[in-house]
Amino acid sequence: MGLSERKEREKAELKELILDAAKRILLKNGKEGLSIRKIAHAIEYSPATIYLYFPDKDAILHELMEIGFGLMSKYLVPAFAEQDPVQRIHAIGKAYAKFGMENKDWYDLMFNSEKPMKHIEKCAEEWDQGMAMFNFLTASCKQAIDLLGLKGIDERILALHFWSTVHGLVNLAHSDRLEIIERNQTRQLIDKTLEAAMASIFRI
Amino acid sequence: MGLSERKEREKAELKELILDAAKRILLKNGKEGLSIRKIAHAIEYSPATIYLYFPDKDAILHELMEIGFGLMSKYLVPAFAEQDPVQRIHAIGKAYAKFGMENKDWYDLMFNSEKPMKHIEKCAEEWDQGMAMFNFLTASCKQAIDLLGLKGIDERILALHFWSTVHGLVNLAHSDRLEIIERNQTRQLIDKTLEAAMASIFRI
DNA sequence: AAAGTTAATAAACAGTGTTCATTGAATCCA
DNA sequence: TGGATTCAATGAACACTGTTTATTAACTTT
């Protein structure tokens, strides 16, 4: 019963081929420009073939999302290694924003799309990479709170405050709203605001 | 030369009819469900007719965006009237978040879409309602800074910090990320985080 | 060799935004 | 009034989109 080993390997290989093509098209044409038909054309198969390997387009986007977290961790790992929790949080914020600014389409897929995570039961499992990052941030916040002797502050709320600030900045930048506030200063605005957030949150 | 007054009035009337239908469809079917063909069907005209009154779909979305700012101001006006600048900023944040949570599609159109504002030269003019709101927030921040005697703080950065926090929260809520962090607590998370932001920013 | 299995596909369906030649009715002018 | 002109409205087409299904063709098993 079941597929022979060779069959399974071939199936996995074509799945990988599809994802690779999807990745390339995402990088070249953006989220809007990514279509089943373009993927099919890129790998020289018919569009219908894609549906033998993925139930629908959302499934492909979801797998891309997980690849995106892999990319993002390259930005975050050095920040995670920072000894001082306050500096670590700052470094995480800067790395997060850098990833967001340099990988708009990935970021959109990972943090702004609701489609690839329709059912909350599933997404709690499937967004585990995102959750792991948030939990690490929360733990760092707890350390910072203890270190600075801040009282009556919930580390989860603190982490959420920090995350939403950076997430908000990245999204405002992506939709060109920061450009409206001050032309050609987007990066500086993000850096300065991040510093101001750190200063006010940790009362430096 | 030029259109007679009656002609112009008729033209404006049909334009209004199109926008009204677009508004209804946006509210019922969301941003994705809003199509030229559905608008045409709703007003019982052919799709091609729409293009006699608007250059393209983006132009319609842009006009809807301006209508959205009208809706939003209903939420914000009471907050704007608040006497104490610190409480005013808090009230603005709460009203902004309330609008965002209760009007997802409008919010998306006004703050997350880049399409309706392709050229930055234009959008500086055409996003003037958004800019006016941000400038008012900045002015309130300046007042709060003076009132509390905070030193070395740029009111523009402070306003941006506050805006990006609330914007980030609303977007995280819209993409169900807050639901992942803590199930069925989205509203409370937003309120608490907003309070924490106020406390840390103004050192209460 | 015949039967069974299955990967791949062509074609279709129901949508999308947008363009353009044609129609038909209202307006203008002689 | 009659003919010319103008122009709003449209049907039909183009090039796309995601997805489904019956059919083909190749490979595997008996």
Side-chain angles (χ1 to χ4, degrees):
Chain A
M1 44 154 263
L3 289 67
S4 78
E5 228 170 81
R6 209 204 77 231
K7 280 270 175 79
E8 253 181 67
R9 207 176 51 243
E10 277 176 3
K11 200 161 176 105
E13 269 168 22
L14 191 41
K15 215 172 165 180
E16 211 57 45
L17 217 67
I18 292 170
L19 285 176
D20 259 30
K23 194 175 151 184
R24 269 198 313 279
I25 295 167
L26 179 72
L27 285 171
K28 222 169 258 175
N29 303 76
K31 200 183 166 188
E32 308 291 281
L34 176 61
S35 76
I36 297 284
R37 292 175 133 95
K38 274 181 197 157
I39 296 171
H41 183 260
I43 61 171
E44 294 181 292
Y45 278 80
S46 87
T49 304
I50 309 282
Y51 289 86
L52 299 176
Y53 297 85
F54 294 91
D56 53 25
K57 195 187 176 184
D58 279 354
I60 296 174
L61 292 180
H62 190 273
E63 296 236 25
L64 282 179
M65 192 185 85
E66 295 192 344
I67 295 172
F69 273 107
L71 288 177
M72 190 180 192
S73 71
K74 285 179 190 163
Y75 285 72
L76 286 174
V77 161
F80 284 171
E82 192 77 46
Q83 280 299 309
D84 178 59
V86 176
Q87 277 190 276
R88 191 193 308 145
I89 292 167
H90 197 168
I92 289 171
K94 283 196 277 189
Y96 184 103
K98 193 174 197 294
F99 171 79
M101 294 302 291
E102 291 175 3
N103 305 276
K104 184 171 150 70
D105 294 304
W106 288 114
Y107 190 87
D108 225 45
L109 213 58
M110 292 154 68
F111 296 102
N112 286 325
S113 59
E114 35 186 345
K115 268 191 186 167
M117 16 186 29
K118 271 172 188 161
H119 304 297
I120 293 171
E121 295 88 53
K122 272 195 180 177
C123 78
E125 301 164 28
E126 294 180 10
W127 213 64
D128 55 353
Q129 294 188 83
M131 263 316 279
M133 284 182 185
F134 182 72
N135 287 336
F136 187 84
L137 178 65
T138 307
S140 294
C141 283
K142 175 95 178 89
Q143 286 178 41
I145 288 168
D146 291 344
L147 189 75
L148 298 176
L150 302 175
K151 288 187 181 175
I153 288 184
D154 183 343
E155 70 267 16
R156 287 177 73 82
I157 297 297
L158 190 58
L160 181 53
H161 175 196
F162 190 71
W163 182 25
S164 62
T165 302
V166 191
H167 178 64
L169 283 171
V170 171
N171 272 331
L172 288 176
H174 283 171
S175 58
D176 290 327
R177 299 312 191 269
L178 296 190
E179 204 67 16
I180 301 175
I181 290 183
E182 199 136 351
R183 213 175 283 198
N184 294 71
Q185 298 286 125
T186 298
R187 285 206 108 86
Q188 290 91 323
L189 278 179
I190 291 176
D191 287 343
K192 275 191 189 174
T193 308
L194 213 56
E195 270 160 42
M198 286 300 296
S200 74
I201 288 174
F202 297 107
R203 280 120 215 268
I204 298 167
Chain B
M1 40 151 260
L3 289 69
S4 80
E5 229 170 82
R6 211 204 76 233
K7 279 270 175 81
E8 255 182 67
R9 207 175 52 242
E10 277 175 3
K11 198 161 179 105
E13 270 169 22
L14 191 41
K15 215 172 165 179
E16 211 57 43
L17 217 67
I18 292 170
L19 286 175
D20 260 30
K23 194 175 151 184
R24 270 199 313 278
I25 295 167
L26 179 73
L27 284 171
K28 220 168 259 174
N29 303 74
K31 201 184 166 187
E32 306 292 280
L34 175 61
S35 76
I36 297 282
R37 291 173 134 96
K38 274 181 196 155
I39 297 171
H41 183 259
I43 61 171
E44 294 180 293
Y45 276 81
S46 88
T49 305
I50 309 282
Y51 288 87
L52 299 176
Y53 296 86
F54 294 91
D56 53 25
K57 196 186 176 186
D58 279 354
I60 296 174
L61 292 179
H62 190 272
E63 296 235 24
L64 282 179
M65 192 185 84
E66 294 192 344
I67 294 172
F69 273 107
L71 288 175
M72 189 180 194
S73 71
K74 285 179 189 160
Y75 285 73
L76 286 174
V77 161
F80 283 171
E82 192 75 48
Q83 280 299 309
D84 177 59
V86 176
Q87 277 190 275
R88 191 193 309 145
I89 292 168
H90 197 168
I92 289 171
K94 283 196 278 190
Y96 184 102
K98 194 174 197 293
F99 171 79
M101 294 303 291
E102 292 175 3
N103 304 276
K104 183 170 148 71
D105 294 305
W106 288 113
Y107 190 87
D108 226 43
L109 214 56
M110 292 153 68
F111 296 102
N112 286 325
S113 58
E114 34 185 346
K115 269 192 186 165
M117 15 186 31
K118 271 172 190 163
H119 304 296
I120 294 171
E121 296 87 53
K122 272 196 180 176
C123 79
E125 300 163 31
E126 294 178 12
W127 213 64
D128 55 354
Q129 294 187 83
M131 262 317 278
M133 285 182 184
F134 181 72
N135 287 336
F136 187 84
L137 178 65
T138 306
S140 294
C141 285
K142 174 94 179 89
Q143 286 177 39
I145 289 168
D146 291 343
L147 189 75
L148 298 175
L150 302 175
K151 289 188 180 173
I153 289 184
D154 182 344
E155 69 267 15
R156 287 177 73 82
I157 298 297
L158 191 57
L160 181 54
H161 175 196
F162 190 71
W163 182 25
S164 62
T165 302
V166 191
H167 177 63
L169 283 171
V170 171
N171 272 332
L172 288 176
H174 283 171
S175 58
D176 291 327
R177 296 315 189 269
L178 296 189
E179 204 68 15
I180 302 175
I181 290 184
E182 199 134 351
R183 213 174 285 196
N184 296 69
Q185 299 285 124
T186 299
R187 284 207 110 86
Q188 290 90 323
L189 278 179
I190 291 176
D191 286 343
K192 274 191 191 173
T193 307
L194 213 55
E195 271 160 42
M198 286 300 297
S200 74
I201 289 174
F202 298 108
R203 280 116 215 272
I204 299 167

